[in-house]
């Protein structure tokens, strides 16, 4: 079969209407910036998020349970020899958690960017757990509120 390359190219190019239109302030309609304190407050009210890191120069995303320390650092646990622990030690990584209503799309999203530090969980009063604690230092905290606005 002889396919017309120009016709195939036209068929492959699809016009996609953007979900959000940019506002003069730089954020799309329906998205408002949150200050760092409010973002960390929302983040602290949930217990599951996603850690985003790299493995072999490719992005990896893993859902995890977490908690915040008093300085806004994200704390999570991993097996001492796990891929996650090996990949993030000393690396700059991201952590994201959100709460979004599936019906109307309202909610919030918080991203923490920072260097990961591994700490042993074992101690003199604790048996060998085989776990490490990963702390993501909050070098950049970005919070967004998703609202209902006309597109």
């Amino acid at each position: 079969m002889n396919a017309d390359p120009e016709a195939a190219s036209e068929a492959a190019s699809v016009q996609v209407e953007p979900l959000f239109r940019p506002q003069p302030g730089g954020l799309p309609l329906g998205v408002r910036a949150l200050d760092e304190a409010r973002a960390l407050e929302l983040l602290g009210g949930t217990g599951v998020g996603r850690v985003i890191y790299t493995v072999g120069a490719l992005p990896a995303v893993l859902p995890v349970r977490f908690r915040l320390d008093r300085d806004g650092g994200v704390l999570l646990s991993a097996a001492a020899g796990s891929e996650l622990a090996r990949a993030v030690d000393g690396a700059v990584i991201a952590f994201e958690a959100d709460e979004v209503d599936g019906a109307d799309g309202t909610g919030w999203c918080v991203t923490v960017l920072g260097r990961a530090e591994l700490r042993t969980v074992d101690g003199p009063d604790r048996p060998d757990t085989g776990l490490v604690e990963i702390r993501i230092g909050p070098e950049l905290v970005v919070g967004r509120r998703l609202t209902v606005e006309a597109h």
Side-chain angles (χ1 to χ4, degrees), residues 17-143:
E17 182 68 23
L19 182 59
F20 296 110
R21 298 188 190 286
Q23 294 178 346
L27 291 177
L29 283 174
V31 180
R32 290 190 348 250
L34 298 171
D35 65 44
E36 184 174 325
R38 180 64 178 139
L40 288 172
E41 180 183 338
L42 289 168
L43 190 60
T46 189
V48 177
R50 288 160 290 287
V51 61
I52 301 97
Y53 59 104
T54 21
V55 176
L58 296 173
V61 180
L62 183 67
V64 293
R65 295 183 186 273
F66 76 98
R67 67 187 192 287
L68 294 180
D69 65 17
R70 72 183 125 190
D71 298 323
V74 177
L75 304 172
L76 49 115
S77 296
S82 67
E83 174 186 89
L84 175 63
R86 289 189 317 271
V88 304
D89 191 13
V92 175
I93 63 173
F95 179 83
E96 189 273 339
D98 55 52
E99 189 173 289
V100 179
D101 185 313
D104 65 9
T106 60
W108 57 267
C109 174
V110 174
T111 303
V112 176
L113 299 172
R115 190 161 305 277
E117 173 189 350
L118 269 59
R119 304 172 178 177
T120 58
V121 176
D122 308 330
D125 58 337
R126 299 174 75 165
D128 181 15
T129 62
L131 297 175
V132 292
E133 179 177 74
I134 299 169
R135 180 180 189 274
I136 305 168
E139 295 175 33
L140 178 64
V141 177
V142 177

